[in-house]
Structure formats: structure tokens, C-alpha cells
Amino acid sequence: MDVVRLVKKAKRGSKEALMKLIMAEKDHMYRLAFTYMGNQHDAMDVLEEMIVRLYENIDQLKKEEAFYSWSKTILVNICKKTLRKQKKLVLIDEWHSSIENERIHLNTNSDDQMEIAEMLSILNENQKEAIKLKYFLDLDYQTIAEMTNVPLGTVKSRIYEALRKLKDHYGGEGNERDRGSIE
């Protein structure tokens, strides 16, 4: 698929070209929306809003090859705005059951998902977001930084701090505090 050619057609007003671009990445976009929103209904709502915004603002995209990065950034911003508006709290248990209900595969089995959901409950929202994007959606640091509109160093710091917090809380190899308490 020639992304640049389709983006140029979409900029000239072709809805069909825009839909081809979106449909080519629909699974990734849905998983991203679902990661933030926690249920199918809200994920579909934000995807619809993203499509409208892309159509209305595609003429503002300067680099055609950056279409997917740009569209995912818009999607993340819509998700965050919607969550703020709704003052919606997605409890980790609800998020987990939604994942099972929607049969989203995160490359882990059910026991692993339960364990991961429990572990994430000790992280703050920024850390959870970074961990989900990095390890559930397998995005690189730069992509996460672009999508969340934070500097690359902040993304790395959030992931590092989250992993450190998880290690401190759950222990693991190299936990020096456990060795000192035996004496």
C-alpha cells in the first residue's frame, strides 16, 4: 500500500483513500483505543471521533509518511480527553474482565493477565500508560513519546521507575533489602 499516495488523495478530499489508510491499521488502532478506554463501546466511540478529526484536519498534515504516527497521536489525545470528560476510572479488575470479554489477545494466558493486572495496580497512571504501550502493544520508546506528547527521556524514566517500583514491591533477584534482614 502506498501510504503517501493515499494521504495525498485524502488531502484532496477522498474519503475512500482515508478509509483505506485507516482500515490498514484498524487492529492496531483498536487495540490502542481499547488499552486506554477499557471497553469495546468507548474504544469504538473514540475511533469514530478520530476518523472525523482525521478527515477534518488531514490538510494540516505536513509529512504524508507520518500519517500513522499523527493519527495515533490524535487517537491518544481523544482517549485522554474523553476519560477526563467522563472522569472515568477504569479499574484494573474491570479492565481485565473487559479484555477477557473482548477476547483481546495480549500474548499471555489468563493467569498471566491476572498477575499483570494485579501488578499494575501499584503504579500511577503515567507509569501504567507507559508500561501498557511498551509491553502490551510492543511500541518503541520514540513512538510512545510521540503518541503521548512527552519527551523521550520522560517515557524512559516512567518505564524505568515503574519497573523499579514493581521490583521493589514484588522482590526478585538482586533485592538487597532481603539479604540484610536475615542477620
Side-chain angles (χ1 to χ4, degrees):
M1 183 174 71
D2 187 359
V3 174
V4 173
R5 185 180 59 77
L6 287 174
V7 171
K8 286 181 180 177
K9 283 180 79 174
K11 282 182 165 182
R12 290 191 298 265
S14 172
K15 292 177 187 173
E16 184 179 323
L18 181 62
M19 289 311 294
K20 281 183 181 176
L21 289 164
I22 293 168
M23 294 308 285
E25 288 284 320
K26 69 179 184 204
D27 292 338
H28 293 287
M29 291 181 178
Y30 176 77
R31 288 184 65 170
L32 178 61
F34 190 86
T35 298
Y36 276 92
M37 304 309 294
N39 66 63
Q40 181 184 17
H41 178 73
D42 289 345
M44 295 306 289
D45 284 349
V46 295
L47 284 172
E48 286 177 16
E49 188 174 338
M50 179 201 71
I51 292 169
V52 171
R53 286 221 191 135
L54 293 180
Y55 181 72
E56 291 173 348
N57 299 308
I58 191 131
D59 59 325
Q60 296 174 8
L61 179 63
K62 293 184 170 68
K63 295 180 181 176
E64 286 81 11
E65 60 275 0
F67 174 78
Y68 288 115
S69 163
W70 176 70
S71 61
K72 289 175 184 173
T73 300
I74 289 173
L75 179 59
V76 167
N77 289 336
I78 292 170
C79 289
K80 288 180 175 181
K81 183 179 174 186
T82 302
L83 289 172
R84 275 193 307 268
K85 274 186 181 176
Q86 296 175 346
K87 294 185 181 181
K88 184 174 179 180
L89 176 64
V90 178
L91 299 175
I92 229 46
D93 291 340
E94 291 174 1
W95 176 76
H96 175 71
S97 65
S98 296
I99 286 175
E100 286 179 344
N101 292 338
E102 302 300 328
R103 298 176 188 211
I104 299 295
H105 300 288
L106 299 173
N107 299 323
T108 59
N109 66 36
S110 180
D111 290 338
D112 290 340
Q113 290 177 3
M114 294 271 294
E115 190 173 317
I116 291 169
E118 182 182 324
M119 292 173 79
L120 290 178
S121 67
I122 67 166
L123 304 177
N124 69 36
E125 291 304 315
N126 289 332
Q127 292 168 337
K128 278 185 213 174
E129 177 184 45
I131 291 290
K132 286 178 185 177
L133 293 174
K134 174 73 178 155
Y135 296 107
F136 292 9
L137 299 178
D138 199 28
L139 299 176
D140 61 53
Y141 293 113
Q142 185 63 44
T143 303
I144 295 169
E146 291 168 4
M147 289 172 48
T148 57
N149 290 323
V150 296
L152 179 63
T154 302
V155 171
K156 289 179 179 179
S157 174
R158 286 176 181 170
I159 291 172
Y160 174 80
E161 288 300 321
L163 294 175
R164 187 189 54 74
K165 193 184 282 186
L166 290 169
K167 183 179 174 186
D168 288 349
H169 188 78
Y170 292 102
E173 291 181 24
N175 191 342
E176 298 298 323
R177 287 185 296 178
D178 291 339
R179 292 182 191 151
S181 64
I182 294 174
E183 295 177 13

